[in-house]
Amino acid sequence: MKDFWIAPSILSADFARLGEEVDNVLKAGADIVHFDVMDNHYVPNLTIGPLVCEALRKHGVTAPIDVHLMVKPVDRIIPDFAKAGATYITFHPEASEHVDRSLQLVRDSGCKSGLVFNPATPLEYLDYVMEKVDMILLMSVNPGFGGQSFIPYVLDKLRAVRERIDRSGRDIRLEIDGGVKADNIREVAAAGADTFVAGSAIFGAAKASDPNHYDTIVGSLRSELAKARG
Ligand code: DX5
Ligand code: ZN
């Protein structure tokens, strides 16, 4: 079994203090920074681009940055994110006219590649490209906003992707994104995920009152994951 990775989504962080927020969640034990890119076209919201990714690198962030593109089209912006310091770049297959080409472009730019599946997007996109993905990301909410509820049928989909990955024998991360909290992360891990995005669960709670907030929440996610490992 692979290591479990906790991936705080900075979508719910305090953007006015972003560098400090990222430092603090990493200090609390998070593994990878989940970076949500929205374009008000593919999804109905607008967030951050390559300049912010570059700013985090300049600030001194050395942890992997997991760029989740919710933009259409995707090819124009991929090399910019690679230059800005992205580690993983994942995109939605519906947002690219040529999925194989975009996956190749991510790798040719020096990053790890991944495909993202909305709750109702079929997995058939994976039929031919398992050798071109380093990560598969299943959305457990419809993309665009933090703080939504986990859609339970995605657990079956997780099991199906876990089976595909195991059958392939390849080293591919299985990430879940949306509505993950301490009270469901164990079930999500049992269904096969190994990388857990958590936005509002980590950044959303009342932190002013608890200076160790991030240690507490990341710690509670970890201890739930330890139970899943059994
Ligand atoms: C939604 C984003 C998620 C979001 C998750 O489109 O892809 O990464 O920030 O937020 P929570 O964990 O609050 O559901
Ligand atoms: Zn995301």
Side-chain angles (χ1 to χ4, degrees), residues 85 108 197:
D108 289 347
V197 177

Side-chain angles (χ1 to χ4, degrees), residues 2 16 34 97 113 123 138 156 159 183 203 211 226:
K2 281 182 184 164
H34 187 78
E97 298 291 342
S113 59
L123 296 174
L138 293 192
D156 285 336
R159 285 184 270 269
D183 64 9
F203 291 106

Side-chain angles (χ1 to χ4, degrees), residues 9 11 34-38 66-70 90 92 116 137 139 143-144 175-178 197:
S9 163
L11 184 62
H34 187 78
F35 192 106
D36 286 307
V37 185
M38 304 185 185
D66 171 29
V67 172
H68 172 193
L69 293 181
M70 288 161 275
T90 65
H92 291 246
V116 190
L137 168 47
M139 294 302 302
E175 185 174 41
I176 185 86
D177 184 2
V197 177

